[in-house]
Amino acid sequence: MEKTWNNKAWFMVLPVLVLVAFSAVIPLMTVVNYSVQDTFGNNQFFWAGTSWFSDVLESDRFWDALTRNLAFSAIILAIEIPLGILIALNMPKKGLGVPVCLVLMSLPLLIPWNVVGTIWQVFGRVDIGLLGYTLAALGINYNYVNNVFDAWVTLIVMDVWHWTSLVVLLCYAGLVSIPDAYYQAAKIDGASRWSVFRYIQLPKMKRVLLIAFLLRFMDSFMIYTEPFVVTGGGPGNSTTFLSIDLVKMAIGQFDLGPAAALSLIYFLIILLLSWIFYTVMTNSDAKT
Amino acid sequence: MARIDLDHIRHAYGPNPTSPSDYSLKEVHHEWNDGGAYALLGPSGCGKTTLLNIISGLLQPSEGRILFDGKDVTNLSTQERNIAQVFQFPVIYDTMTVYDNLAFPLRNRRVPETEVDRRVKEILEMIGLSDRAKKKAQGLTADQKQKISLGRGLVRSDVSAILFDEPLTVIDPHMKWVLRSQLKRLHRQFGFTMVYVTHDQTEALTFADKVVVMYDGEIVQIGTPAELFERPKHTFVGYFIGSPGMNVLPARIDGSSVDLDGEKIALSFAPKFTAGAKTELGIRPEFIRIGREGMPVTVSKVEDIGRQKIVRASFAGQPIAIVLHEDGEIPAEPRISFDPAAINIYADSWRVADSLPAGGEA
């Protein structure tokens, strides 16, 4: 077939190009620009080469924050994935219980992140918070403001409360798509409850679980709002994640060079991990 | 292997059934022989699968009891009943190999591994998947998957009965025939009690010694293929079995004389039925002779289906089908006559007994 050439077509894609340029390309390149230059004010810039990058990579501050990020993601995944599966397995399959459970499950997901932070910030306060006050009344010494362990527990419980529902909903969708015949066949074959889970339910949930895992990893790795609202990165630097550190560096200290270098490194880490997960997912799909 | 007694079984899916129409399965009271091959035949929604699931224990009947060899199993689970069942759509365990899929029912029952290996290899041979034994079951085609499902049903040698719920729906026609003959051979070899649900009459008639015809939640007739063909107990059986089905004509009956809208036929007996019943005459298309003798008929269409011709005609104001040999001629002014031995009389759709040996349990 003869192709029609018409250069006017470029005008059609122009709005998108402009939009992408202003929303992504130009800001990103500005950051790249900052990351390789230094300034002493007066809008005078000097070439700094890779010194900001090596500064960041050599600093304990960066590695500590990265370790916190990885630890946080690992812990919440280790809790939310099994817990989500467990809840999904026990949710009703029919009747009035279904809509009730689904709505209850969706509620935490509908709350804006900074509101979630505020809720837990208040909830955990020893003087007026329901949780903090109750724990104190029970004689448990709990204070997320000055105890590192308590701060971490609070953040983890908050994230579990906020996001387990997502895993539950995805798993539930996977579970209800399994035809009854599978369960009937398993009964006939004399399969135990564990076998039913291991050989029917888990394989059928595999794909949604990968998606849940990916989403939860990415989100938790980029966590900012909730710890910022609840602990502000403290006590000390104990809950200062990369994102919080980045904001401190860029806006608090106005160290644009290192902050730009850090954000590029942060971006590349997320990109790399996304790529790894994407490859894992597509590989397991190709085998099916 | 077991004799199966269905003792006054009824089933309703909804709670508190009151009228007969609330029951998906109306009263079933039958005894099925040990080692028999039964086919449950009927249109979709007639209660075949319900009855099957009641036998296997996946469903508890609302009323009645089930006995295996005289032992009441109504409250026993599927596993305790020791039943094998094959479903309409393939059920396989994706993450297992073909071999492990077949071994699964045996291993769950702690059968020694040497015995497992022997049985599984035998079944693999039978379903023709020996070369894929070590492959993951996931990548197989639909009919290979269904063969695995079939195999899992057949792998246990000690089952009370094997139930099949339209197992060959997803299999292509040639393979259907092969698998059906294998099932048949297996049945002869091991004498399993087999119950086979289908809506395909060819499948039912070739598989089973006894065909159980169901209609609207009821068993209307249990009989050999020949009985179903020659002496349908209910007009539905006449219509459902055979291709084309039996001609059922409204008839006025007076003593031993039948009046088909003016055309009179004399019967060899006088049917007895309650007064006021709707009476009909049933005659299979195969038993109508077309020629120059008999009652006048208007031919509207002739379908040539190879070895036979099906003549569609109008007789006494009713459409009628006649089967004609492929060389058969239709004269200019065709007339038809009925083979007297092949005439069945129905009152309110149920067959009225005659002096001839009756079919089934009539």
Side-chain angles (χ1 to χ4, degrees), chain B residues 283-302:
Chain B
I283 179 95
R284 292 233 172 243
E286 290 81 357
F287 297 113
I288 302 177
R289 272 187 298 277
I290 192 160
R292 291 196 172 75
E293 302 291 312
M295 303 166 285
V297 72
T298 320
V299 173
S300 52
K301 197 164 85 183
V302 179

mmCIF file of all heavy atoms in Angstrom, chain B residues 283-302:
data_model
loop_
_atom_site.group_PDB
_atom_site.id
_atom_site.type_symbol
_atom_site.label_atom_id
_atom_site.label_comp_id
_atom_site.label_asym_id
_atom_site.label_seq_id
_atom_site.Cartn_x
_atom_site.Cartn_y
_atom_site.Cartn_z
ATOM 1 N N ILE B 283 -44.624 -42.749 16.239
ATOM 2 C CA ILE B 283 -44.063 -43.690 15.259
ATOM 3 C C ILE B 283 -42.719 -43.145 14.788
ATOM 4 O O ILE B 283 -42.603 -41.965 14.459
ATOM 5 C CB ILE B 283 -45.029 -43.940 14.072
ATOM 6 C CG1 ILE B 283 -44.444 -44.892 13.036
ATOM 7 C CG2 ILE B 283 -45.431 -42.646 13.387
ATOM 8 C CD1 ILE B 283 -44.842 -46.321 13.221
ATOM 9 N N ARG B 284 -41.706 -43.990 14.832
ATOM 10 C CA ARG B 284 -40.381 -43.564 14.390
ATOM 11 C C ARG B 284 -40.348 -43.413 12.870
ATOM 12 O O ARG B 284 -40.965 -44.209 12.159
ATOM 13 C CB ARG B 284 -39.336 -44.589 14.827
ATOM 14 C CG ARG B 284 -39.153 -44.633 16.316
ATOM 15 C CD ARG B 284 -37.697 -44.457 16.647
ATOM 16 N NE ARG B 284 -37.504 -44.310 18.083
ATOM 17 C CZ ARG B 284 -37.004 -43.223 18.649
ATOM 18 N NH1 ARG B 284 -36.638 -42.194 17.907
ATOM 19 N NH2 ARG B 284 -36.829 -43.157 19.949
ATOM 20 N N PRO B 285 -39.613 -42.435 12.367
ATOM 21 C CA PRO B 285 -39.528 -42.210 10.903
ATOM 22 C C PRO B 285 -39.036 -43.453 10.168
ATOM 23 O O PRO B 285 -39.352 -43.654 8.993
ATOM 24 C CB PRO B 285 -38.518 -41.079 10.772
ATOM 25 C CG PRO B 285 -38.465 -40.423 12.094
ATOM 26 C CD PRO B 285 -38.836 -41.445 13.115
ATOM 27 N N GLU B 286 -38.257 -44.293 10.876
ATOM 28 C CA GLU B 286 -37.711 -45.502 10.251
ATOM 29 C C GLU B 286 -38.786 -46.552 9.982
ATOM 30 O O GLU B 286 -38.572 -47.485 9.214
ATOM 31 C CB GLU B 286 -36.633 -46.123 11.157
ATOM 32 C CG GLU B 286 -35.340 -45.338 11.260
ATOM 33 C CD GLU B 286 -35.409 -44.175 12.252
ATOM 34 O OE1 GLU B 286 -36.494 -43.928 12.831
ATOM 35 O OE2 GLU B 286 -34.379 -43.500 12.440
ATOM 36 N N PHE B 287 -39.938 -46.441 10.656
ATOM 37 C CA PHE B 287 -40.968 -47.478 10.535
ATOM 38 C C PHE B 287 -42.179 -47.016 9.731
ATOM 39 O O PHE B 287 -43.261 -47.568 9.844
ATOM 40 C CB PHE B 287 -41.405 -47.954 11.930
ATOM 41 C CG PHE B 287 -40.282 -48.590 12.700
ATOM 42 C CD1 PHE B 287 -39.765 -48.006 13.844
ATOM 43 C CD2 PHE B 287 -39.740 -49.794 12.251
ATOM 44 C CE1 PHE B 287 -38.730 -48.598 14.530
ATOM 45 C CE2 PHE B 287 -38.697 -50.396 12.936
ATOM 46 C CZ PHE B 287 -38.181 -49.795 14.083
ATOM 47 N N ILE B 288 -41.978 -45.976 8.953
ATOM 48 C CA ILE B 288 -43.057 -45.533 8.065
ATOM 49 C C ILE B 288 -42.677 -45.935 6.645
ATOM 50 O O ILE B 288 -41.551 -45.676 6.216
ATOM 51 C CB ILE B 288 -43.262 -44.004 8.145
ATOM 52 C CG1 ILE B 288 -43.568 -43.580 9.590
ATOM 53 C CG2 ILE B 288 -44.366 -43.561 7.202
ATOM 54 C CD1 ILE B 288 -43.710 -42.080 9.776
ATOM 55 N N ARG B 289 -43.586 -46.636 5.979
ATOM 56 C CA ARG B 289 -43.323 -47.008 4.584
ATOM 57 C C ARG B 289 -44.042 -46.025 3.675
ATOM 58 O O ARG B 289 -45.199 -45.676 3.914
ATOM 59 C CB ARG B 289 -43.804 -48.441 4.323
ATOM 60 C CG ARG B 289 -42.743 -49.490 4.649
ATOM 61 C CD ARG B 289 -43.213 -50.868 4.200
ATOM 62 N NE ARG B 289 -44.423 -51.282 4.903
ATOM 63 C CZ ARG B 289 -44.419 -51.834 6.117
ATOM 64 N NH1 ARG B 289 -43.283 -52.038 6.760
ATOM 65 N NH2 ARG B 289 -45.553 -52.182 6.699
ATOM 66 N N ILE B 290 -43.322 -45.608 2.650
ATOM 67 C CA ILE B 290 -43.942 -44.683 1.699
ATOM 68 C C ILE B 290 -44.118 -45.424 0.375
ATOM 69 O O ILE B 290 -43.248 -46.187 -0.047
ATOM 70 C CB ILE B 290 -43.078 -43.402 1.563
ATOM 71 C CG1 ILE B 290 -43.836 -42.303 0.822
ATOM 72 C CG2 ILE B 290 -41.747 -43.672 0.900
ATOM 73 C CD1 ILE B 290 -43.272 -40.916 1.075
ATOM 74 N N GLY B 291 -45.295 -45.294 -0.219
ATOM 75 C CA GLY B 291 -45.557 -46.015 -1.465
ATOM 76 C C GLY B 291 -46.907 -45.608 -2.038
ATOM 77 O O GLY B 291 -47.362 -44.488 -1.797
ATOM 78 N N ARG B 292 -47.561 -46.552 -2.753
ATOM 79 C CA ARG B 292 -48.849 -46.210 -3.368
ATOM 80 C C ARG B 292 -50.020 -46.621 -2.489
ATOM 81 O O ARG B 292 -51.164 -46.309 -2.778
ATOM 82 C CB ARG B 292 -48.957 -46.868 -4.744
ATOM 83 C CG ARG B 292 -47.989 -46.244 -5.744
ATOM 84 C CD ARG B 292 -48.329 -46.597 -7.170
ATOM 85 N NE ARG B 292 -47.495 -45.841 -8.092
ATOM 86 C CZ ARG B 292 -46.199 -46.108 -8.320
ATOM 87 N NH1 ARG B 292 -45.618 -47.123 -7.700
ATOM 88 N NH2 ARG B 292 -45.511 -45.368 -9.138
ATOM 89 N N GLU B 293 -49.716 -47.399 -1.421
ATOM 90 C CA GLU B 293 -50.762 -47.899 -0.530
ATOM 91 C C GLU B 293 -50.812 -47.071 0.748
ATOM 92 O O GLU B 293 -49.789 -46.610 1.227
ATOM 93 C CB GLU B 293 -50.466 -49.370 -0.142
ATOM 94 C CG GLU B 293 -50.359 -50.321 -1.317
ATOM 95 C CD GLU B 293 -51.691 -50.518 -1.991
ATOM 96 O OE1 GLU B 293 -52.665 -50.772 -1.270
ATOM 97 O OE2 GLU B 293 -51.741 -50.377 -3.232
ATOM 98 N N GLY B 294 -51.985 -46.940 1.331
ATOM 99 C CA GLY B 294 -52.102 -46.352 2.663
ATOM 100 C C GLY B 294 -52.758 -44.990 2.686
ATOM 101 O O GLY B 294 -53.678 -44.719 1.905
ATOM 102 N N MET B 295 -52.263 -44.159 3.568
ATOM 103 C CA MET B 295 -52.904 -42.871 3.820
ATOM 104 C C MET B 295 -52.185 -41.775 3.030
ATOM 105 O O MET B 295 -50.964 -41.774 2.931
ATOM 106 C CB MET B 295 -52.838 -42.565 5.327
ATOM 107 C CG MET B 295 -53.467 -43.651 6.162
ATOM 108 S SD MET B 295 -53.071 -43.528 7.920
ATOM 109 C CE MET B 295 -51.391 -44.084 7.974
ATOM 110 N N PRO B 296 -52.938 -40.816 2.499
ATOM 111 C CA PRO B 296 -52.329 -39.786 1.658
ATOM 112 C C PRO B 296 -51.435 -38.834 2.476
ATOM 113 O O PRO B 296 -51.709 -38.568 3.643
ATOM 114 C CB PRO B 296 -53.534 -39.037 1.089
ATOM 115 C CG PRO B 296 -54.626 -39.283 2.055
ATOM 116 C CD PRO B 296 -54.391 -40.629 2.661
ATOM 117 N N VAL B 297 -50.384 -38.367 1.816
ATOM 118 C CA VAL B 297 -49.434 -37.484 2.483
ATOM 119 C C VAL B 297 -48.914 -36.472 1.459
ATOM 120 O O VAL B 297 -48.871 -36.764 0.264
ATOM 121 C CB VAL B 297 -48.304 -38.332 3.094
ATOM 122 C CG1 VAL B 297 -47.383 -38.891 2.028
ATOM 123 C CG2 VAL B 297 -47.505 -37.564 4.127
ATOM 124 N N THR B 298 -48.579 -35.268 1.911
ATOM 125 C CA THR B 298 -48.025 -34.260 1.005
ATOM 126 C C THR B 298 -46.551 -34.053 1.342
ATOM 127 O O THR B 298 -46.215 -33.616 2.441
ATOM 128 C CB THR B 298 -48.767 -32.911 1.172
ATOM 129 O OG1 THR B 298 -50.160 -33.179 1.340
ATOM 130 C CG2 THR B 298 -48.535 -32.016 -0.018
ATOM 131 N N VAL B 299 -45.672 -34.373 0.381
ATOM 132 C CA VAL B 299 -44.231 -34.232 0.618
ATOM 133 C C VAL B 299 -43.827 -32.775 0.415
ATOM 134 O O VAL B 299 -44.212 -32.144 -0.567
ATOM 135 C CB VAL B 299 -43.443 -35.148 -0.335
ATOM 136 C CG1 VAL B 299 -41.948 -34.887 -0.225
ATOM 137 C CG2 VAL B 299 -43.764 -36.606 -0.038
ATOM 138 N N SER B 300 -43.088 -32.214 1.370
ATOM 139 C CA SER B 300 -42.666 -30.822 1.198
ATOM 140 C C SER B 300 -41.168 -30.702 0.914
ATOM 141 O O SER B 300 -40.732 -29.786 0.251
ATOM 142 C CB SER B 300 -43.031 -30.004 2.435
ATOM 143 O OG SER B 300 -42.541 -30.636 3.597
ATOM 144 N N LYS B 301 -40.357 -31.643 1.421
ATOM 145 C CA LYS B 301 -38.916 -31.502 1.262
ATOM 146 C C LYS B 301 -38.261 -32.861 1.410
ATOM 147 O O LYS B 301 -38.731 -33.701 2.166
ATOM 148 C CB LYS B 301 -38.382 -30.555 2.346
ATOM 149 C CG LYS B 301 -37.014 -30.002 2.055
ATOM 150 C CD LYS B 301 -36.711 -28.806 2.941
ATOM 151 C CE LYS B 301 -36.171 -29.260 4.271
ATOM 152 N NZ LYS B 301 -35.910 -28.171 5.203
ATOM 153 N N VAL B 302 -37.178 -33.092 0.642
ATOM 154 C CA VAL B 302 -36.429 -34.330 0.800
ATOM 155 C C VAL B 302 -34.980 -33.968 1.101
ATOM 156 O O VAL B 302 -34.355 -33.243 0.344
ATOM 157 C CB VAL B 302 -36.505 -35.203 -0.477
ATOM 158 C CG1 VAL B 302 -35.694 -36.484 -0.288
ATOM 159 C CG2 VAL B 302 -37.944 -35.526 -0.809
#
